[in-house]
Amino acid sequence: MAEEILHRLSPGSLFIRLEQLPGSYSNSTQVLVGQSAEGEQQRYAVRCYTDFGSYDLSEKAQREFYTFKLLYGHGLPVPQPLLLDADGSLLGRPGMVSAFVEGELVLAPPDPLGWATEMAQVLSRIHALPCDQTSVPFLLDANAEATWFLRKGDETPEVVKSFPHGEALWRRLLELRPLLKDAMLALVHIDYWTGNLLWQGDRISAVVDFEEAALGDPDIDVAYCRMDMYLRGLPEAAEHFLRVYEESTKRKVENLRFWELAAALRPISAQAEWI
């Protein structure tokens, strides 16, 4: 497999090793290290998708590959997509190969406000990307993805009932749902938080994990990212993030209350793991 990838991307290259990257839940990512015919070291990210939820793995591979292609083409900090294997004939499972991007996770920022500023500005650039349902047919429906908890109707889920004030939270969600304002359509990451960002110094070198990329209300990403900041004990960074995002996009985040409550449902079933 590794030799075939190298042959396709850089004929004459010599395979050196594969390195497993930690931290993946819905995929498995390895770094493929090779040496070109000219003697230069090469590194590629090889990503294979695993069963997670009800997503079709082939569609997931295509969705992330074409999302990377769109974002990379507009100068956004994402890995350059190089090879798509939608049916898994090369990788053994549906997946893709991209250029390797240097960077590290920053989970406890030394400068929380500067960290939040960079995250807000990069997110605003993603949301400013021109796209509609015709140009990005490979994207999911963001609003439907973020309201996964309503797929079985309006009855309060058991996991919510067991949570302190869970019933009140659920009732408030149902009250706010009809009040959602029509929002501009944007490319929504769905899982935009610091665990999916690579940094070099004080700048984001790559936004990764677009396998659930969707088209819909951009306020979903804002709410989800703020929730993570609050869970990390960084409320000032969360408020600063919102201010910078609104300044950068020149629009008010009008559906924040609903999407923050929706985001808060995700960690309820595994609070200790999230925190």
Side-chain angles (χ1 to χ4, degrees), residues 121-171:
Q121 291 177 341
V122 168
L123 184 61
S124 71
R125 290 175 59 200
I126 292 173
H127 289 167
L129 200 67
C131 56
D132 55 33
Q133 291 168 323
T134 302
S135 62
V136 286
F138 48 87
L139 296 181
L140 297 170
D141 180 330
N143 294 33
E145 289 298 306
T147 54
W148 55 271
F149 48 86
L150 293 173
R151 290 174 187 168
K152 295 183 179 180
D154 293 350
E155 183 178 349
T156 313
E158 289 300 320
V159 68
V160 177
K161 289 180 183 178
S162 64
F163 186 74
H165 309 296
E167 290 277 12
L169 184 155
W170 187 259
R171 287 196 301 272

Side-chain angles (χ1 to χ4, degrees), residues 16 66 73 96 116-117 162 182 185 187 197 215 229 243 263 271:
I16 297 178
Y66 290 119
M96 62 170 288
T117 294
S162 64
D182 290 336
L185 288 178
L187 194 164
L197 306 175
L215 186 67
M229 292 178 178
R243 287 194 297 272
Q271 298 165 54

Side-chain angles (χ1 to χ4, degrees), residues 49 56-68 84-87 94-96 138:
Y49 301 95
D56 179 275
L57 299 187
S58 177
E59 290 179 2
K60 186 184 289 189
Q62 294 177 73
R63 182 163 50 250
E64 185 155 41
F65 182 87
Y66 290 119
T67 300
F68 276 163
L84 172 64
D85 183 21
D87 62 5
M96 62 170 288
F138 48 87

Side-chain angles (χ1 to χ4, degrees), residues 198-220:
L198 297 177
W199 297 76
Q200 283 190 308
D202 57 0
R203 302 298 299 274
I204 292 173
S205 58
V207 184
V208 298
D209 200 9
F210 276 93
E211 61 188 58
E212 295 178 64
L215 186 67
D217 188 345
D219 295 359
I220 294 168

Side-chain angles (χ1 to χ4, degrees), residues 107 109 111-117 119 222-244 256 260:
L107 303 179
D111 174 16
L113 298 189
W115 173 79
T117 294
M119 290 175 69
V222 177
Y224 187 77
C225 190
R226 277 169 49 84
M227 177 195 68
D228 177 66
M229 292 178 178
Y230 269 94
L231 287 177
R232 291 179 185 283
L234 299 171
E236 297 86 358
E239 296 306 316
H240 183 73
F241 171 83
L242 177 60
R243 287 194 297 272
V244 173
L256 187 63
E260 285 194 328

Side-chain angles (χ1 to χ4, degrees), residues 10-11 14 33-34 47 73 81 102 107 139 149 164 198 213 246 258 263:
S10 180
L14 174 67
V33 182
R47 187 172 172 92
E102 294 283 356
L107 303 179
L139 296 181
F149 48 86
L198 297 177
E246 291 185 328
F258 178 83

